[in-house]
Amino acid sequence: MTFDFDRRIDRRNTRSYKWDQNGKLYGDPDILPLWVADMDFQSPPAVRETLEKRAALGIYGYAIRTDGYLDSIVQWYRTRHGWTIEPQWITDTPSVVTSLSLAVELFSEPGSDVVLQSPVYYPFYDVIRSNGRNVVKNPLSIRDGQLRMDYDQLESLFREGAKLLLLCSPHNPGGRVWSREELLRLGELCLTYGVTVVSDEIHCDLALPGHKHIPFASLSPELADITITCLAATKTFNLPGLHTSYTVISNPSIKRKFENRIKALSLHMAQHFAQDAVEAAYREGGPWLDAMLAYVAGNIDYAIDYLAEHLPEVKPLRPEGTYLLWIDCRGLGLDVAGLKDLMYRKAKVVFNEGSTFGNEGEGWLRINLACPRSIVEEALESFCRAAKEK
Ligand SMILES: Cc1ncc(COP(=O)(O)O)c(C=O)c1O
């Protein structure tokens, strides 16, 4: 089956977070948005068909969670990731960020230190701070054109008492798909110091051709025992507006505590549309996903080559996963305000400004490449032209 990822679909006036806030946020309704992480591609045909059937019911009543839905998740991880999970380890949650926030609330003490690896997806900071905990950073460094973990600094944070780590795997931004060795070394430290790991693996299915995601909890039973894995089909199949996700927790007491809190907040009821979409995606979306990843890999090659030729002052990190390109723009000599001015006013494009991921991201930009090639071409052309005129 072939899929048309080149087709430009007009998403304006659809209540799109990315396309319908241009005027409000950037003062120009026609600016080109390549920021928030959803795709400008239609979801797999099986998802659309199942949702159309569900919508045609006309009655949007309370729904149940089916065994088939749970089985579709179990089968997906078995075949796609070689990871065996049990249906009873799964707890539905409205969103991965909800799961992260509940995990911080439940598995760290008020006022305690929670570790993240910066620069990182900005809600990691919010869920720690809004729960009254302290963000402690284990900054990533760059070696051989890739983000790397600093284990010595991490160990000192654990030695000083931090008991919870928020891991982003694959990493956003920067697109690292952590290797087995890197994760094992991290895991060793967590086991030694009694640290619980909240592993956000929402990008797990977006390892690019040639790279393989390793679920942290799959590394050993001991690591599974200290891990809350936060997952969703939403990033994989472009369903984030359906607002559905789940956790996988094999440790019964952690699972019970987490599930009790979900019930206390009455977040446990099945969503009317989401389950059908997720099950259809997992059962029938594999070929679409493979084709989409190949297309995005082409966009990444295109963008890296284009920038090397037209704006060599900026240095992208080549992602191993995700559809996000993390670009070092410090060579342009602009501060945060200058980069925003370059994007929004001069180039008429929106990429994510890097300092929102932590001060390590200052001078960097993140580009969402899950869009038709022609949009990538247009955005890069405008950006490079404006950067050269500055
Ligand atoms: C690492 C990471 N976690 C979580 C999310 C958002 O997940 P959700 O919409 O389920 O809260 C994103 C979205 O970009 C992300 O990159």
Side-chain angles (χ1 to χ4, degrees), residues 135-181:
V135 170
V136 293
K137 289 182 172 185
N138 173 222
L140 299 166
S141 55
I142 296 171
R143 192 162 24 90
D144 301 330
Q146 291 296 353
L147 294 174
R148 311 279 167 178
M149 296 189 194
D150 180 344
Y151 300 97
D152 293 338
Q153 199 262 357
L154 186 62
E155 181 162 18
S156 68
L157 296 177
F158 290 168
R159 209 179 284 124
E160 283 161 22
K163 290 286 174 221
L164 193 70
L165 166 73
L166 302 189
L167 173 67
C168 193
S169 176
H171 194 81
N172 169 18
R176 263 321 297 285
V177 176
W178 304 114
S179 69
R180 181 176 294 277
E181 292 67 32

Side-chain angles (χ1 to χ4, degrees), residues 39-57:
M39 308 182 200
D40 293 332
F41 307 135
Q42 284 192 325
S43 290
V47 172
R48 302 199 312 265
E49 282 155 23
T50 203
L51 286 178
E52 277 161 19
K53 270 196 217 139
R54 193 95 195 155
L57 292 176

Side-chain angles (χ1 to χ4, degrees), residues 36-38 94-100 120-124 167-172 200-203 231-232 234-235 240-241 243-245 323-324 366:
V36 72
D38 69 18
S95 81
V96 164
V97 176
T98 309
S99 307
L100 299 175
V120 74
Y121 179 57
Y122 33 87
F124 275 40
L167 173 67
C168 193
S169 176
H171 194 81
N172 169 18
D200 178 341
E201 301 187 16
I202 194 169
H203 294 280
L231 293 159
T234 51
K235 209 55 63 178
H243 223 55
T244 184
S245 65
Y323 45 72
L324 307 165
R366 191 193 76 174

Side-chain angles (χ1 to χ4, degrees), residues 24 54 64 91 105 112 119 193 198 204 208 210 215 261 313 318:
K24 191 172 116 196
R54 193 95 195 155
I64 52 169
T91 305
E105 180 196 327
S112 68
Y193 290 93
V198 183
C204 67
L208 290 158
R261 188 73 184 124
E313 300 93 315
R318 181 173 282 281

Side-chain angles (χ1 to χ4, degrees), residues 230-382:
C230 303
L231 293 159
T234 51
K235 209 55 63 178
T236 312
F237 296 106
N238 203 23
L239 319 167
L242 292 182
H243 223 55
T244 184
S245 65
Y246 50 92
T247 54
V248 172
I249 309 171
S250 61
N251 178 315
S253 72
I254 297 181
K255 160 90 189 320
R256 205 173 314 114
K257 203 167 164 187
F258 190 86
E259 199 161 69
N260 285 346
R261 188 73 184 124
I262 288 281
K263 286 199 178 129
L265 294 167
S266 192
L267 296 175
H268 61 292
M269 288 296 287
Q271 210 253 24
H272 185 87
F273 286 97
Q275 279 191 64
D276 286 354
V278 171
E279 182 168 352
Y282 281 152
R283 294 213 188 278
E284 296 179 61
W288 178 94
L289 175 59
D290 293 333
M292 187 278 290
L293 288 172
Y295 187 87
V296 165
N299 279 356
I300 291 169
D301 285 343
Y302 173 83
I304 290 177
D305 290 349
Y306 188 91
L307 290 170
E309 187 180 338
H310 296 275
L311 198 61
E313 300 93 315
V314 308
K315 311 268 180 235
L317 298 188
R318 181 173 282 281
E320 299 169 335
T322 81
Y323 45 72
L324 307 165
L325 189 66
W326 184 233
I327 304 180
D328 183 354
C329 296
R330 287 173 297 179
L332 296 177
L334 296 170
D335 60 9
V336 167
L339 275 177
K340 286 184 177 172
D341 188 60
L342 171 61
M343 286 190 287
Y344 313 153
R345 214 175 51 79
K346 297 187 176 125
K348 303 276 181 208
V349 296
V350 189
F351 308 145
N352 287 87
E353 187 280 303
S355 70
T356 54
F357 299 86
N359 60 342
E360 299 78 5
E362 230 176 275
W364 293 69
L365 297 175
R366 191 193 76 174
I367 309 186
N368 177 346
L369 293 175
C371 57
R373 183 86 32 96
S374 64
I375 293 184
V376 179
E377 287 167 2
E378 214 179 290
L380 290 180
E381 200 189 307
S382 307

